C-alpha cells in the first residue's frame, strides 16, 4: 500500500511539474520551439536631413549649391551693416557732407581735409550692383534650399507612414500569435491533467483491491 501511494504521489507530482512547465513557458520560448517565423522588430526610421540630400547630388549640382553659398557669404560679409564696404560707404557719405574735421585746441588745433579716393557715384554704383548680385544669388540659393527642405519633409513623412504601417502589421501579428500561445497553454494544461497514470505490474493487484473498495 505504501509503495502504491508513493508511485501515485510521484506520478501526480510529475503531471503537476509538466503543467507548471507549460505555465512557465514564455511566449518567446513557445514561439521558437514551434519554429514560427521571427516577428521582425520595427525600428524607428532615421530622419532624413537636408545635408543627406545634398550629399546625394551629382557633382555639378553640389558644386553649384556650394558656390551659391560661398557667394552669399562673401558678398554679404562686405555689404551688410558692419561689413567693410558698408562701413566705408557710410564713412564716405559722412565725410562728403563734412569734409573738414578739427583735432586739438588753440594753436595746436589741426584742420584735416578729407578727399575721397573714388567718386561717390562709383561707390554707389558698385554697392548697388553687389546688392543686385546678392539678391539674385540669394533667390536661387533659397529656391534650392526650399526644394531640399520640401523633399526632406516628404521623405520623412513617407518613412513615418511606412513605419506606422509596419508597426501596426507587427502588432497584429504579435496579438494573433499571443492569442494562439495562451490557447496552447490552456489546452496543453488540460491535456496533461487528463493523462492516465500507468500502474506497474507489481502494483496491479493493490490497484485492483483499492478499486473494489471504491465500488
Amino acid at each position: 500500500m505504501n509503495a502504491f501511494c508513493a508511485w501515485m504521489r510521484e506520478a501526480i507530482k510529475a503531471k503537476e511539474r509538466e503543467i507548471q512547465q507549460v505555465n512557465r513557458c514564455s511566449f518567446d520560448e513557445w514561439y521558437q520551439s514551434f519554429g514560427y517565423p521571427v516577428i521582425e522588430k520595427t525600428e524607428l526610421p532615421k530622419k532624413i536631413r537636408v545635408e543627406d540630400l545634398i550629399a546625394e547630388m551629382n557633382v555639378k549640382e553640389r558644386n553649384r549649391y556650394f558656390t551659391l553659398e560661398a557667394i552669399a557669404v562673401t558678398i554679404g560679409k562686405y555689404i551688410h551693416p558692419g561689413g567693410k564696404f558698408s562701413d566705408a560707404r557710410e564713412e564716405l557719405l559722412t565725410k562728403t557732407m563734412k569734409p573738414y574735421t578739427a583735432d586739438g585746441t588753440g594753436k595746436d588745433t589741426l584742420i584735416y581735409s578729407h578727399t575721397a579716393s573714388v567718386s561717390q557715384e562709383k561707390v554707389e554704383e558698385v554697392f548697388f550692383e553687389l546688392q543686385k548680385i546678392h539678391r539674385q544669388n540669394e533667390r536661387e540659393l533659397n529656391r534650392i534650399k526650399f526644394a531640399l527642405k520640401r523633399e526632406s519633409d516628404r521623405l520623412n513623412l513617407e518613412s513615418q507612414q511606412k513605419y506606422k504601417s509596419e508597426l501596426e502589421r507587427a502588432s497584429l501579428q504579435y496579438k494573433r500569435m499571443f492569442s494562439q500561445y495562451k490557447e496552447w497553454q490552456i489546452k496543453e494544461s488540460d491535456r496533461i491533467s487528463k493523462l492516465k497514470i500507468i500502474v506497474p505490474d507489481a502494483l496491479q493487484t493493490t490497484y485492483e483491491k483499492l478499486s473494489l473498495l471504491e465500488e
Side-chain angles (χ1 to χ4, degrees):
M1 291 294 289
N2 285 339
F4 180 82
C5 287
W7 176 265
M8 296 301 291
R9 187 166 51 248
E10 289 302 316
I12 292 170
K13 284 182 181 180
K15 290 174 67 174
E16 288 175 349
R17 279 196 301 271
E18 288 198 29
I19 292 174
Q20 288 174 359
Q21 285 178 352
V22 170
N23 293 332
R24 284 197 300 263
C25 179
S26 69
F27 173 72
D28 289 339
E29 291 172 337
W30 170 82
Y31 200 85
Q32 293 174 12
S33 66
F34 279 83
Y36 290 117
V38 177
I39 299 176
E40 295 182 3
K41 293 183 178 179
T42 306
E43 295 184 359
L44 191 67
K46 181 183 176 183
K47 186 175 181 180
I48 299 171
R49 305 170 302 164
V50 169
E51 291 81 359
D52 299 324
L53 297 180
I54 293 173
E56 293 177 0
M57 288 178 173
N58 60 44
V59 173
K60 183 179 179 181
E61 291 172 335
R62 202 182 314 173
N63 178 62
R64 181 58 182 166
Y65 180 84
F66 290 146
T67 298
L68 291 170
E69 274 197 327
I71 292 173
V73 171
T74 303
I75 295 180
K77 185 171 64 176
Y78 282 93
I79 67 172
H80 288 159
K84 291 182 179 180
F85 198 160
S86 178
D87 288 349
R89 175 172 172 265
E90 289 296 324
E91 185 180 358
L92 174 62
L93 292 172
T94 300
K95 290 183 177 178
T96 298
M97 290 169 42
K98 296 180 179 180
Y100 299 101
T101 58
D103 184 28
T105 57
K107 64 178 182 179
D108 296 324
T109 300
L110 296 174
I111 304 298
Y112 293 95
S113 174
H114 302 280
T115 304
S117 61
V118 64
S119 69
Q120 188 172 344
E121 291 76 12
K122 184 63 177 177
V123 170
E124 292 299 301
E125 179 187 336
V126 174
F127 185 78
F128 287 120
E129 180 63 22
L130 286 175
Q131 277 191 327
K132 179 182 177 182
I133 295 172
H134 188 63
R135 282 195 299 269
Q136 292 173 342
N137 186 82
E138 284 279 278
R139 276 198 296 269
E140 185 177 355
L141 180 61
N142 289 335
R143 180 182 58 78
I144 296 174
K145 284 184 175 180
F146 177 76
L148 289 171
K149 179 66 169 60
R150 185 174 57 186
E151 179 65 6
S152 68
D153 289 344
R154 185 189 69 80
L155 292 173
N156 282 319
L157 178 61
E158 194 177 86
S159 64
Q160 283 294 331
Q161 290 173 339
K162 183 180 178 182
Y163 168 73
K164 183 180 178 182
S165 176
E166 290 177 350
L167 199 63
E168 289 175 352
R169 179 182 56 78
S171 178
L172 287 173
Q173 184 185 4
Y174 179 85
K175 288 178 181 178
R176 184 174 65 253
M177 297 309 300
F178 191 81
S179 176
Q180 291 182 21
Y181 156 69
K182 297 305 291 185
E183 184 180 351
W184 168 80
Q185 277 189 319
I186 294 170
K187 287 183 177 179
E188 188 66 7
S189 296
D190 184 60
R191 183 188 68 81
I192 295 170
S193 65
K194 291 178 180 178
L195 288 175
K196 293 182 178 180
I197 297 173
I198 297 173
V199 179
D201 291 340
L203 298 175
Q204 193 65 39
T205 303
T206 305
Y207 171 72
E208 289 173 357
K209 286 182 180 179
L210 290 173
S211 296
L212 290 173
L213 289 176
E214 290 180 0
E215 294 176 359

